[in-house]
Amino acid sequence: MAKLNWGMIGGGEGSQIGPAHRIGALADGRFTLAAAALDHRPDVGREYAMRLGVAADRAYGDWTEMLAGERNRPDRVDLVTVATPNSTHFEITKAFLEAGFHVLCEKPMTVTVEEGEEIVRIAEKTGRICAVNYCYSAYPMIRQARAMVRAGEIGRVRLVVTSFSHGHHGDATDADNPRVRWRYDPAMAGVSGQFADCGIHALHMASFICDDEVTTLSADFASTIPSRELEDDAMVNFRTARGTVGRLWTSSVAIGRQHGFDIQVFGETGGLRWASEQPNQLIYTPVGGRTQIMEKGEAGLSDEAKRLSRVAIAHPEGFPMAVANIYCDLADAIRGEVRDGLPRAPAGLRSMAAVHAAVASAKAQGAWVDARPPMFR
Ligand SMILES: NC(=O)c1ccc[n+]([C@@H]2O[C@H](COP(=O)([O-])OP(=O)(O)OC[C@H]3O[C@@H](n4cnc5c(N)ncnc54)[C@H](O)[C@@H]3O)[C@@H](O)[C@H]2O)c1
């Protein structure tokens, strides 16, 4: 099968997420990196793209040049990844969708709810795929957890407790580092810092595993480093459409926590626990029974958990391979085989509605507010 042509915007040399996209997209021989506008500095981006093997005429200085250069080529890119800072996602994603390209947008998909609704509408109207990189949902053992909840193996879910808390922005003397600063600057990040950066991964995960949607929430935001305009710590209580109680803590000043993304799902007849630092294991406890460690690659797992595993039991895979699973499902979707579980624009919109709801709630001393986007109410 011919490889699909892939284009990348942002994710330049030294960026945080760029390498995971390149490893992920190229891991399975489904895509070729054919075009790129990788950096906010045009020359730096062009030079790096060529070092990665992109032809000189497709190593672009910025995304508008890339759109103009790609749109009429017979071998134009099939998929564009948007891995720039948050405030640029909407404009770039909209332009490429409208020009008929499929897009994988980094989270958060937009910075306002209105923009999110527009992206959902454009994707529907153009029939193009707009996926959002909620890559943690593509870990095999997260698919296993979802399959178990769907199969009723832990009964009705009563409670979800999740956190995504790290300490990598906890050093006040590093707060002006440009790669840290934009995340707390409303002009670059939008209305929320840490909740929109990491909290929405946890919120998406809660909905994803439970096959449910967040309806209302109450939030407490804090900027523990006072020079920060946006929050670096948040506690969010939520409720879902099926009545599940949700608790979420997200922080970037939790010094000592490294990646710190974990989730526990408590049902009427059992509980599940997963932590991103041990992503190959899912801990399962049936009510009144023994706690079991379920390992990626072992017998008896769900079809989805098997499908997304690549190497033998007890061999680590990890984060770039979860991103690779998103790219595999995108390649299938572009070729017409839509996979259950690929996070799409409505998931990105729901996150943005939750972010704005959390900001409003935090300003109103934690008042409970509707967390659904108007178009889904
Ligand atoms: N899905 C995930 O798990 C995950 C993890 C980290 C970051 N992200 C998201 O990825 C995005 C980028 O984050 P990061 O941590 O890699 O940021 P970063 O600051 O490390 O890198 C940003 C990169 O984008 C480039 N860039 C900026 N503006 C550009 C433009 N207009 N055109 C082309 N390139 C441009 C920069 O030169 C740089 O190479 C953010 O939206 C972030 O929320 C997602």
Side-chain angles (χ1 to χ4, degrees), residues 12 16-17 39-40 86 89 106-107 179 182-183 201:
Q16 191 187 341
I17 199 65
D39 203 285
H40 65 287
N86 307 354
H89 292 176
E106 260 308 338
K107 44 57 51 178
R179 289 193 49 219
W182 75 259
R183 292 184 146 83
H201 272 302

Side-chain angles (χ1 to χ4, degrees), residues 2 5 20 35 44 48 101 129 158 208 241 246 256 264 276 320-321:
N5 282 330
V44 175
Y48 188 46
F101 295 92
I129 298 162
R158 291 175 173 143
F208 185 83
Q264 289 185 264
S276 68
M321 291 300 106

Side-chain angles (χ1 to χ4, degrees), residues 209-291:
I209 291 177
C210 301
D211 242 344
D212 201 354
E213 298 300 348
V214 175
T215 51
T216 55
L217 61 74
S218 157
D220 178 25
F221 279 15
S223 299
T224 67
I225 294 186
S227 62
R228 287 181 177 154
E229 208 172 318
L230 299 176
E231 86 289 351
D232 53 21
D233 187 281
M235 186 66 86
V236 178
N237 285 306
F238 59 92
R239 298 288 186 273
T240 72
R242 296 206 185 123
T244 298
V245 173
R247 319 268 184 219
L248 184 158
W249 170 51
T250 187
S251 186
S252 64
V253 293
I255 295 170
R257 284 183 62 123
Q258 297 302 337
H259 195 248
F261 183 13
D262 44 53
I263 188 158
Q264 289 185 264
V265 182
F266 302 103
E268 285 175 335
T269 60
L272 295 168
R273 176 150 54 105
W274 179 87
S276 68
E277 292 178 16
Q278 289 84 36
N280 289 349
Q281 297 181 340
L282 180 67
I283 315 293
Y284 167 52
T285 310
V287 65
R290 284 221 173 106
T291 294

Side-chain angles (χ1 to χ4, degrees), residues 9-19 21 37-41 61-63 82-89 92 106-108 133-136 164 178-180 182-183 188 196-197 201 259 319 323:
I9 301 169
E13 191 164 29
S15 66
Q16 191 187 341
I17 199 65
H21 280 281
L38 296 173
D39 203 285
H40 65 287
R41 296 156 298 180
D62 69 47
W63 69 268
V82 180
T84 50
N86 307 354
S87 61
T88 60
H89 292 176
I92 304 174
E106 260 308 338
K107 44 57 51 178
N133 194 30
Y134 288 116
C135 45
Y136 298 99
F164 194 160
R179 289 193 49 219
V180 174
W182 75 259
R183 292 184 146 83
M188 297 282 277
D197 195 23
H201 272 302
H259 195 248
F319 183 73
V323 178

Side-chain angles (χ1 to χ4, degrees), residues 335-355:
R335 296 207 143 103
E337 189 183 350
V338 176
R339 300 280 188 188
D340 175 46
L342 177 65
R344 305 284 279 262
L349 166 61
R350 283 186 191 280
S351 298
M352 201 27 64
V355 165

Side-chain angles (χ1 to χ4, degrees), residues 74-330:
D75 60 346
R76 71 185 212 156
V77 288
D78 298 287
L79 171 72
V80 175
T81 291
V82 180
T84 50
N86 307 354
S87 61
T88 60
H89 292 176
F90 171 66
E91 187 183 25
I92 304 174
T93 299
K94 177 177 186 297
F96 278 87
L97 284 174
E98 282 175 338
F101 295 92
H102 300 295
V103 175
L104 171 61
C105 183
E106 260 308 338
K107 44 57 51 178
M109 183 175 79
T110 60
V111 293
T112 72
V113 180
E114 294 73 21
E115 290 167 354
E117 292 195 331
E118 200 174 335
I119 294 293
V120 169
R121 284 196 200 97
I122 296 169
E124 269 170 16
K125 192 169 144 215
T126 58
R128 299 293 91 182
I129 298 162
C130 180
V132 183
N133 194 30
Y134 288 116
C135 45
Y136 298 99
S137 64
Y139 273 110
M141 297 315 278
I142 292 298
R143 299 300 172 100
Q144 176 64 22
R146 187 186 210 214
M148 290 175 75
V149 171
R150 280 182 167 178
E153 288 184 47
I154 62 166
R156 188 185 69 81
V157 176
R158 291 175 173 143
L159 185 64
V160 180
V161 180
T162 181
S163 62
F164 194 160
S165 296
H166 63 79
H168 302 299
H169 303 163
D171 179 357
T173 62
D174 192 43
D176 268 342
N177 173 341
R179 289 193 49 219
V180 174
R181 197 180 47 214
W182 75 259
R183 292 184 146 83
Y184 304 95
D185 173 1
M188 297 282 277
V191 292
S192 159
Q194 177 61 14
F195 186 59
D197 195 23
C198 293
I200 60 171
H201 272 302
L203 202 67
H204 176 263
M205 184 75 92
S207 305
F208 185 83
I209 291 177
C210 301
D211 242 344
D212 201 354
E213 298 300 348
V214 175
T215 51
T216 55
L217 61 74
S218 157
D220 178 25
F221 279 15
S223 299
T224 67
I225 294 186
S227 62
R228 287 181 177 154
E229 208 172 318
L230 299 176
E231 86 289 351
D232 53 21
D233 187 281
M235 186 66 86
V236 178
N237 285 306
F238 59 92
R239 298 288 186 273
T240 72
R242 296 206 185 123
T244 298
V245 173
R247 319 268 184 219
L248 184 158
W249 170 51
T250 187
S251 186
S252 64
V253 293
I255 295 170
R257 284 183 62 123
Q258 297 302 337
H259 195 248
F261 183 13
D262 44 53
I263 188 158
Q264 289 185 264
V265 182
F266 302 103
E268 285 175 335
T269 60
L272 295 168
R273 176 150 54 105
W274 179 87
S276 68
E277 292 178 16
Q278 289 84 36
N280 289 349
Q281 297 181 340
L282 180 67
I283 315 293
Y284 167 52
T285 310
V287 65
R290 284 221 173 106
T291 294
Q292 304 166 26
I293 299 175
M294 306 174 75
E295 188 83 36
K296 178 195 72 67
E298 73 185 17
L301 297 183
S302 67
D303 289 346
E304 274 293 276
K306 283 187 208 143
R307 182 177 75 80
L308 298 177
S309 303
R310 292 143 193 286
V311 293
I313 187 164
H315 288 66
E317 288 183 9
F319 183 73
M321 291 300 106
V323 178
N325 288 337
I326 296 280
Y327 278 95
C328 274
D329 285 1
L330 267 167

